[in-house]
């Protein structure tokens, strides 16, 4: 039995199979509440203690998400709409500003924006996202502004200005064993320099000291980093999640996109 909260903080207990996905829970609640399914209903995870939250990806297993919770933390699952969930497939232009991207030298400099998505989804090439972020120093209260680079192998920062030379790059974190959360409390809890915080939390976490905390200077920058990490972590799975509601309806794809 899982407990799911609505926007107005009322909750509902649901009996579900142990292998149910986030999309499965949403479909169940849409049926029970007689809602219209416009494909934007999403399950959110809110970590009450740390003021962090994230949209659970449609394919994730809800029991696995809950298995990472610490008993006394009173974390919650929320059922609400998230129109921006797959917006980057429809409008990549607004998600990936030119000044934050560079491409492998072998690709043509003028990559189209649908080309960017194809690069994210392919396993061979990968556009590099780069820019300044504030990082919280491990075990300290202070934040440091550093130049970060996102690559397929993980997130790195430069120890020497904006140098991308391998000897100046220091590993910050990888994504396969951690989840990315957005800070819901702004500057309040973590003393961050801006309100655009996000962080990486190891799946089997020992608590807040293991969080890799970052914050961006503006919303566009944070959205770019977070979208790129989602694409990097889940790749083609995200595209399948996005296309799933349209499968089996001939000629009814959202953009009539040819399969990438």
């Amino acid at each position: 039995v899982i407990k799911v909260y609505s926007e107005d903080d009322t909750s509902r207990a649901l009996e579900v199979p142990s292998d149910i996905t986030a999309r499965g829970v949403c479909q169940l609640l849409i049926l029970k509440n007689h809602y219209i399914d416009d494909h934007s209903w999403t399950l959110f995870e809110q970590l009450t203690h740390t003021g962090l939250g994230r949209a659970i990806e449609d394919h994730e297993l809800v029991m696995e998400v809950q298995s990472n919770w610490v008993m006394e933390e009173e974390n919650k699952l929320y059922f609400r709409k998230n129109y921006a969930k797959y917006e980057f497939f429809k409008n990549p232009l607004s998600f990936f500003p030119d000044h934050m991207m560079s491409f492998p030298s072998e690709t043509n400099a003028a990559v189209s924006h649908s080309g960017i998505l194809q690069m994210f989804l392919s396993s061979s090439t990968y556009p590099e996202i780069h820019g300044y972020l504030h990082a919280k120093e491990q075990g300290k209260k202070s934040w440091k502004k550093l130049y970060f680079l996102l690559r397929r192998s993980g997130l790195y920062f430069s120890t020497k200005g904006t140098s991308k030379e391998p000897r100046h790059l220091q590993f910050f974190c990888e994504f396969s064993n951690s989840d990315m959360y957005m800070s819901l409390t702004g500057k309040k809890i973590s003393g961050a320099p801006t309100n655009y915080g996000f962080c990486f939390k190891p799946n089997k976490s020992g608590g807040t000291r293991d969080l890799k905390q970052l914050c961006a200077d503006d919303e566009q920058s944070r959205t770019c980093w977070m979208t790129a990490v989602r694409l990097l972590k889940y790749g083609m799975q995200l595209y399948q999640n996005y296309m799933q509601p349209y499968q089996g309806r001939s000629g009814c794809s959202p953009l009539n996109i040819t399969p990438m």
Side-chain angles (χ1 to χ4, degrees):
V1 175
I2 61 169
K3 193 175 185 182
V4 183
Y5 288 80
S6 296
E7 206 68 279
D8 59 1
D9 259 337
T10 55
S11 67
R12 178 168 202 154
L14 289 177
E15 200 173 320
V16 295
S18 60
D19 61 348
I20 196 164
T21 61
R23 188 189 288 266
V25 171
C26 289
Q27 293 295 328
L28 208 60
L29 286 162
I30 288 164
L31 284 170
K32 283 187 184 293
N33 293 317
H34 308 293
Y35 288 155
I36 291 170
D37 185 6
D38 59 0
H39 313 314
S40 65
W41 289 102
T42 306
L43 206 58
F44 284 82
E45 175 188 10
Q46 199 156 315
L47 308 182
T48 322
H49 244 41
T50 44
L52 300 172
R54 72 179 183 107
I56 301 172
E57 299 292 355
D58 286 337
H59 65 275
E60 285 186 76
L61 298 174
V62 177
M63 293 302 147
E64 269 183 26
V65 173
Q66 285 199 328
S67 71
N68 294 326
W69 289 2
V70 181
M71 284 302 283
E72 61 274 10
E73 279 188 347
E74 296 175 14
N75 298 329
K76 293 179 179 178
L77 292 174
Y78 276 91
F79 171 63
R80 59 169 98 108
K81 292 198 176 209
N82 176 14
Y83 292 107
K85 185 159 51 168
Y86 299 123
E87 191 56 37
F88 55 89
F89 281 123
K90 302 170 194 167
N91 183 14
L93 199 66
S94 59
F95 281 80
F96 300 111
D98 290 339
H99 68 273
M100 288 182 69
M101 304 199 67
S102 51
F103 300 101
S105 49
E106 64 272 12
T107 52
N108 184 348
V111 178
S112 72
H113 275 80
S114 62
I116 290 174
L117 283 177
Q118 289 186 12
M119 284 173 75
F120 271 116
L121 297 176
S122 85
S123 51
S124 52
T125 55
Y126 189 75
E128 186 181 84
I129 306 290
H130 49 78
Y132 282 99
L133 286 169
H134 305 268
K136 189 169 195 289
E137 298 192 72
Q138 226 49 62
K140 297 183 189 170
K141 285 192 169 158
S142 55
W143 291 73
K144 221 174 188 174
K145 193 169 188 176
L146 297 164
Y147 190 73
F148 276 85
L149 295 106
L150 180 63
R151 293 186 169 168
R152 198 168 275 289
S153 52
L155 187 61
Y156 298 83
F157 63 88
S158 177
T159 54
K160 190 177 180 189
T162 58
S163 167
K164 295 182 182 182
E165 280 186 49
R167 63 198 171 106
H168 295 144
L169 292 185
Q170 198 168 323
F171 180 73
F172 186 76
C173 75
E174 56 92 52
F175 318 114
S176 55
N177 297 315
S178 58
D179 288 311
M180 177 175 58
Y181 291 83
M182 193 186 264
S183 165
L184 305 174
T185 53
K187 305 175 183 183
K188 216 163 51 193
I189 289 186
S190 57
T194 76
N195 282 320
Y196 308 106
F198 62 104
C199 73
F200 297 96
K201 177 180 175 289
N203 292 347
K204 299 285 175 266
S205 171
T208 43
R209 68 174 183 277
D210 292 334
L211 295 178
K212 304 269 191 181
Q213 296 188 64
L214 294 163
C215 81
D217 283 328
D218 53 58
E219 188 56 71
Q220 187 191 33
S221 163
R222 171 166 74 174
T223 303
C224 177
W225 286 105
M226 291 185 77
T227 305
V229 169
R230 279 178 71 199
L231 279 161
L232 187 132
K233 184 171 179 178
Y234 300 110
M236 209 56 196
Q237 178 70 59
L238 277 191
Y239 185 66
Q240 285 158 5
N241 292 355
Y242 166 55
M243 292 303 285
Q244 194 181 340
Y246 307 100
Q247 302 297 325
R249 304 189 202 167
S250 57
C252 186
S253 106
L255 293 175
N256 292 324
I257 302 179
T258 52
M260 289 187 179

